[in-house]
Amino acid sequence: MKKLGKFLYDGLLKFEKVFLILSSVLILLFVCATVFMRYLFKVDLYGFGEVVLLIAVWMYFIGASHGTFTKSHVNIDIVDLLIQNQNIRSGIKILSSLIVFLLCVIFSLWSFDQFLSGIESGEKSLVLRIPMYVPESSLFVGFLLMSLHSLINLIKDIKEAFFSKRELVLNDEKLG
Amino acid sequence: MIIAFGILILTLIIGVPVSFAFLATTVYIIFSLGYDTSFLIPFGFSQMNNFLLLALPLFIMIGGIMDKGRIADKLIEFAELFVQKIKASLGIVVIFSCAIFGSISGSSVAALMAIGQIMSPKLKESGYPRGYSAALLSSASVLGMLIPPSTIMILFAWAGNQSVLASFLSTVIPGVILIILLSIINVVLMRKENIKKPNDINSTETMPVKFRKRTIAASPGLALPIIVLGSIYGGFMTPTEAAAVAVLYAIPVGFWVYKGLTKDNFLTVMKETAITTGVIMLMIYGTSLLSRMMVMEDIPNRLTDILLSVSENKFIILLMINLFLILMAMLIDDISGVLLLTPILLPVAVNIGVDPVHFAAILAVNLGMGNITPPTAPLLYFGSQVGKVPITEMIKPTIIMIIFAWLPTLMITTYLPELSLFLPKLILGY
């Protein structure tokens, strides 16, 4: 069971990486195509804008999700400067991870409601008639993935705090 | 609202990432004041669905490609041409190189990483104190956010609903003043140090030959700001389109001209671009919700009333705004700062008669200075990593730079609006 979970999680991370690379390249190509079509062929590709923004919003939220896994989100590293006690530091780290996890769950629920009401409303984009829930669902999927990554970060932080505490006790015992 | 601000500060202090600190504050306000999430959640999303914001990943891409593509070497050699006769010339090369690199990548972190990795060993070899070198690199790299194109100014224009082009131009003259002041400080501080001239392997070459060779070598890189800024200000392309075309140009330059770009690091740049963009966009999402509720709670007008109750003198109010900005910039990074502070303080500034484009420059200089002012000071920490030096050795020279370069630049920018407005008026008829 543990192995299957690890296999699925690794697969998800690989999928996120491939998605991020592909979406970056596609955005670049689509925006350049818009410019070249306008200047070389005097054609304005109105629908391209909708496609680019659709890819972009998915990239934003999958990027934010992968950033939660890689801990790339910007934070203020002031705790280590202010507090010397390792136990308090670990406690604050766990509290911070718990807050992030809870926020991701709350926003997953709110964005899921939004996704459902998007399906009910049947709204579509102006040019290509893309259902609006297609871009809007990126918010829900992004927060759902962030919930998963932040839960794993929380578990890691808890394990780290307890293991490092045990190691310290063992070291103290060894030193007598 | 005071409790909400307290939650924001507390979550930031305990290490909750900035974007999640914004979301935590938002959740508190939604629950305590009963806002309707079915209106707010799609509102935040609609703010991100914006073509201008697409310029961000593309500028981040340029920075990554230029960093991996080893363009910085050629730019440094090019900058050396202009200051060879001065004793502490290498320090000035750092300042100029950061400014040129900033005008290509639009990012101070990219400038610090690219220029710092090459210049740190060179500065050490020439006898510059290592703490001073790292402090100078950190300070100079901020020029990346003052010399256009600047990602911070794209975000300001988006958050404040202002012209991107005018916002870009507003920080040029403050940036030039900073270049001059940092160069003077460098010469003064290094006059008693035993500085050796850099080993120039081509020293037998005459100046015109050296000039020709280095200019040709640097020109593919130097063409980038011309492509970006020329096409934007020439009215041919939007900032997003110009950034995309610049990336398309930079890829073959990185692969085949400078040969630093490989398949592997190209894919890394693409992945890192998406992650960095995702991180920024989550901040944008959080601040969109937060600033919307602040506007609905009439916070900017209430803040204006509080400031006017202290003094009605515009200069004193500007001083108070600057003090507030300095304090905030010391706590949060530049991107979070511009996203959080623009919707709150821009209306206040406009209420007391400050031009929005002038305010763009004031905000940028403050946030730039905050990047190197402890306790947060992200660029100071990056600088200590790049220069492999403890941060304590960087504090004294950094304080000197803040007092004699940053604060004068901030005061000039704040109290001489003509400086920030001159180029927007000249080029755009603003």
Side-chain angles (χ1 to χ4, degrees):
Chain A
M1 192 67 191
K2 204 177 168 185
K3 270 187 182 172
L4 178 70
K6 192 178 176 314
F7 174 76
L8 289 175
Y9 191 62
D10 288 347
L12 172 71
L13 292 175
K14 203 171 259 179
F15 167 77
E16 283 185 355
K17 277 184 207 167
V18 173
F19 184 89
L20 294 177
I21 293 169
L22 277 179
S23 55
S24 296
V25 173
L26 282 176
I27 287 171
L28 171 66
L29 293 178
F30 273 109
V31 178
C32 287
T34 313
V35 177
F36 292 129
M37 291 299 274
R38 186 169 35 181
Y39 282 104
L40 297 180
F41 302 104
K42 311 277 178 212
V43 178
D44 264 325
L45 299 170
Y46 292 111
F48 264 42
E50 284 181 4
V51 178
V52 174
L53 285 174
L54 172 69
I55 300 168
V57 289
W58 274 94
M59 183 186 87
Y60 299 160
F61 283 102
I62 302 295
S65 155
H66 203 75
T68 310
F69 165 72
T70 55
K71 297 194 174 180
S72 303
H73 288 280
V74 184
N75 63 353
I76 298 171
D77 279 327
I78 207 168
V79 173
D80 290 355
L81 289 176
L82 296 177
I83 297 163
Q84 301 302 318
N85 186 310
Q86 191 57 43
N87 285 343
I88 299 174
R89 274 190 197 176
S90 303
I92 291 175
K93 202 174 169 191
I94 291 169
L95 176 66
S96 160
S97 298
L98 180 66
I99 291 172
V100 171
F101 169 63
L102 291 175
L103 286 166
C104 290
V105 172
I106 291 170
F107 275 89
S108 297
L109 294 173
W110 284 346
S111 51
F112 182 64
D113 285 345
Q114 183 53 39
F115 169 58
L116 289 182
S117 60
I119 293 176
E120 279 169 21
S121 74
E123 266 185 86
K124 287 181 178 160
S125 67
L126 287 174
V127 183
L128 298 177
R129 310 297 296 158
I130 300 168
M132 289 312 284
Y133 63 79
V134 177
E136 282 173 5
S137 54
S138 63
L139 191 67
F140 166 60
V141 175
F143 275 115
L144 195 66
L145 291 174
M146 277 185 253
S147 304
L148 177 66
H149 292 312
S150 57
L151 176 65
I152 287 169
N153 286 344
L154 175 64
I155 294 169
K156 274 185 195 164
D157 287 343
I158 293 171
K159 274 186 180 171
E160 212 177 273
F162 283 98
F163 278 119
S164 63
K165 205 175 167 183
R166 239 176 60 186
E167 276 165 20
L168 281 176
V169 173
L170 286 174
N171 281 342
D172 285 349
E173 281 172 0
K174 269 183 197 169
L175 291 169
Chain B
M1 270 296 163
I2 292 171
I3 298 175
F5 191 69
I7 288 174
L8 178 65
I9 299 292
L10 188 72
T11 45
L12 287 173
I13 287 174
I14 65 168
V16 172
V18 178
S19 44
F20 290 99
F22 290 156
L23 293 180
T25 316
T26 305
V27 169
Y28 168 76
I29 299 175
I30 286 175
F31 281 131
S32 62
L33 298 177
Y35 277 101
D36 183 7
T37 53
S38 66
F39 150 72
L40 277 171
I41 300 296
F43 170 79
F45 185 81
S46 68
Q47 295 296 296
M48 299 167 70
N49 217 353
N50 181 314
F51 207 69
L52 171 64
L53 289 178
L54 260 183
L56 285 177
L58 296 165
F59 277 118
I60 294 168
M61 235 180 251
I62 300 176
I65 288 170
M66 289 294 96
D67 181 21
K68 299 276 191 285
R70 291 196 205 130
I71 188 179
D73 298 75
K74 304 295 170 199
L75 291 179
I76 288 166
E77 284 173 10
F78 177 73
E80 276 173 353
L81 286 172
F82 299 92
V83 286
Q84 278 179 338
K85 298 227 165 101
I86 302 168
K87 186 191 170 191
S89 62
L90 219 50
I92 301 175
V93 169
V94 166
I95 299 163
F96 275 75
S97 305
C98 284
I100 300 172
F101 197 89
S103 75
I104 294 172
S105 73
S107 154
S108 38
V109 176
L112 179 56
M113 300 302 280
I115 304 294
Q117 276 163 8
I118 299 162
M119 289 307 286
S120 285
K122 281 192 176 191
L123 289 164
K124 192 179 164 195
E125 202 179 292
S126 296
Y128 284 76
R130 59 179 194 161
Y132 170 80
S133 305
L136 182 68
L137 272 163
S138 304
S139 244
S141 66
V142 184
L143 289 164
M145 61 184 265
L146 297 181
I147 306 294
S150 153
T151 45
I152 290 297
M153 284 297 104
I154 294 175
L155 290 172
F156 171 83
W158 171 82
N161 204 15
Q162 296 299 315
S163 149
V164 185
L165 311 189
S167 306
F168 274 171
L169 288 173
S170 70
T171 52
V172 174
I173 294 180
V176 172
I177 293 171
L178 197 64
I179 290 173
I180 295 167
L181 292 177
L182 284 175
S183 301
I184 293 170
I185 290 172
N186 172 65
V187 171
V188 173
L189 288 184
M190 291 299 106
R191 71 189 189 283
K192 285 182 184 165
E193 297 288 336
N194 185 22
I195 304 287
K196 286 181 277 179
K197 284 242 168 182
N199 291 331
D200 195 339
I201 49 164
N202 297 323
S203 57
T204 50
E205 285 176 339
T206 58
M207 188 58 190
V209 175
K210 227 188 274 184
F211 187 85
R212 187 168 48 83
K213 278 189 176 175
R214 290 185 186 191
T215 308
I216 291 170
S219 53
L222 290 171
L224 263 170
I226 297 169
I227 292 173
V228 174
L229 298 176
S231 56
I232 295 174
Y233 290 104
F236 308 116
M237 293 180 210
T238 63
T240 306
E241 293 169 346
V245 172
V247 175
L248 207 62
Y249 167 83
I251 292 171
V253 169
F255 267 111
W256 296 296
V257 179
Y258 293 122
K259 296 186 174 119
L261 210 56
T262 61
K263 190 186 121 205
D264 283 348
N265 61 26
F266 174 72
L267 293 179
T268 306
V269 168
M270 291 292 140
K271 188 188 80 183
E272 292 298 328
T273 295
I275 294 174
T276 310
T277 309
V279 166
I280 296 173
M281 288 300 167
L282 196 63
M283 280 188 207
I284 288 181
Y285 183 72
T287 46
S288 295
L289 301 180
L290 201 54
S291 58
R292 179 72 190 162
M293 286 186 288
M294 283 183 175
V295 169
M296 287 166 90
E297 291 298 312
D298 203 25
I299 298 295
N301 283 334
R302 278 153 69 179
L303 199 61
T304 311
D305 291 342
I306 292 170
L307 289 174
L308 286 172
S309 69
V310 178
S311 168
E312 289 192 355
N313 185 319
K314 186 180 163 183
F315 290 92
I316 292 174
I317 295 176
L318 272 174
L319 189 68
M320 288 193 285
I321 288 177
N322 268 323
L323 285 173
F324 179 68
L325 280 171
I326 290 170
L327 282 174
M328 287 304 288
M330 280 164 69
L331 282 174
I332 51 180
D333 68 292
D334 48 2
I335 290 175
S336 324
V338 74
L339 289 172
L340 180 68
L341 298 170
T342 305
I344 303 172
L345 290 180
L346 181 63
V348 176
V350 172
N351 282 349
I352 60 163
V354 176
D355 191 284
V357 172
H358 175 210
F359 185 72
I362 297 175
L363 188 66
V365 176
N366 266 302
L367 293 174
M369 189 166 77
N371 262 322
I372 53 152
T373 315
T376 312
L379 287 179
L380 214 57
Y381 294 111
F382 274 130
S384 99
Q385 284 166 11
V386 173
K388 294 181 183 70
V389 51
I391 209 153
T392 42
E393 286 185 33
M394 296 168 67
I395 296 292
K396 193 182 161 191
T398 300
I399 290 172
I400 294 173
M401 286 172 211
I402 288 173
I403 294 172
F404 295 104
W406 280 101
L407 284 175
T409 306
L410 179 60
M411 288 300 112
I412 293 170
T413 306
T414 304
Y415 293 113
L416 289 174
E418 294 79 13
L419 286 182
S420 337
L421 296 174
F422 175 71
L423 286 176
K425 276 180 185 163
L426 183 76
I427 297 174
L428 303 171
Y430 178 79

